[in-house]
Amino acid sequence: MKFLEDPMQTMGVGFVLTIVLVGIYLGLTGISAGEGDWGQMILRWVHFLAGITWIGLLYFFNLINASFLKSLDGPTKNIVIPKLMPAALNWFRHGATVTVLAGVLLYGHMYHKGGTGAVALAIGGLLGIIMMGNVHGIIWPNQKKIIAAVTAAAQGTPAPPEMAQWGRTALLASRVNFMLSIPMLFFMGAGSHFR
């Protein structure tokens, strides 16, 4: 069980397990591998995986991390922020991009095949696109400046006076995304229930 020690190896085993379980499922049900709409299925799976990564981190940042960072003193922040935030924000912004791109492709595929719930999915998708715009246009640029300033402060460079404003701007954009995620998730889930 050494693979459980490394998250990337654990994820790799999860993908292999998926393939094995799909094979077992096909064998048990008698469904042939050529019967399914694999393109739509894989797009939906990628959309879900990336979306869970993105929205999971969004909820972590808003419900846990923001208040945790406020509770730290300056020297501790100088240690925590450069170690935690680059990796977390990397998964966050790439999760947003993959979620939206897979969602747009999935929507186009479903719409082309006459899928139901197109308006509900379009509302959810539009909210997701706005949220991704906030990630790449506001949150990440401000967080990148904060990480650089905190890293420099750990080496003795004074923090720039505008750093507090960068943090506030990123926080407010993140809170907007947190708020938008609630109706976005409703409409993404409602798509298959509305005709």
Side-chain angles (χ1 to χ4, degrees), residues 129-153:
I129 290 168
I130 292 167
M131 291 167 61
M132 186 185 75
N134 281 343
V135 168
H136 288 288
I138 300 171
I139 297 168
W140 174 238
N142 281 286
Q143 288 290 354
K144 192 165 41 170
K145 291 188 276 189
I146 292 166
I147 292 165
V150 169
T151 302

Side-chain angles (χ1 to χ4, degrees), residues 172-186:
L172 293 177
S174 185
R175 290 285 160 84
V176 166
N177 277 7
F178 182 46
M179 175 188 68
L180 292 178
S181 74
I182 296 167
M184 181 270 298
L185 290 168
F186 173 83

Side-chain angles (χ1 to χ4, degrees), residues 8-95:
M8 298 309 283
Q9 288 181 11
T10 306
M11 187 166 47
V13 171
F15 283 111
V16 170
L17 180 59
T18 301
I19 293 167
V20 169
L21 290 173
V22 166
I24 291 170
Y25 170 78
L26 292 174
L28 288 173
T29 60
I31 298 172
S32 120
E35 289 182 53
D37 185 347
W38 289 95
Q40 181 175 333
M41 207 172 339
I42 289 171
L43 273 175
R44 186 178 303 246
W45 182 46
V46 168
H47 184 63
F48 285 170
L49 285 171
I52 288 167
T53 302
W54 175 25
I55 301 303
L57 284 165
L58 175 67
Y59 279 53
F60 166 76
F61 289 143
N62 279 278
L63 296 174
I64 297 165
N65 195 57
S67 61
F68 169 71
L69 289 177
K70 284 181 186 175
S71 73
L72 300 179
D73 60 29
T76 306
K77 280 184 186 177
N78 292 347
I79 296 168
V80 171
I81 289 175
K83 288 187 178 186
L84 172 68
M85 296 308 286
L89 287 165
N90 215 16
W91 281 97
F92 178 68
R93 71 181 197 278
H94 294 310

Side-chain angles (χ1 to χ4, degrees), residues 149-170:
V150 169
T151 302
Q155 299 170 353
T157 303
E162 58 272 14
M163 190 165 87
Q165 186 56 47
W166 299 336
R168 177 121 177 99
T169 301

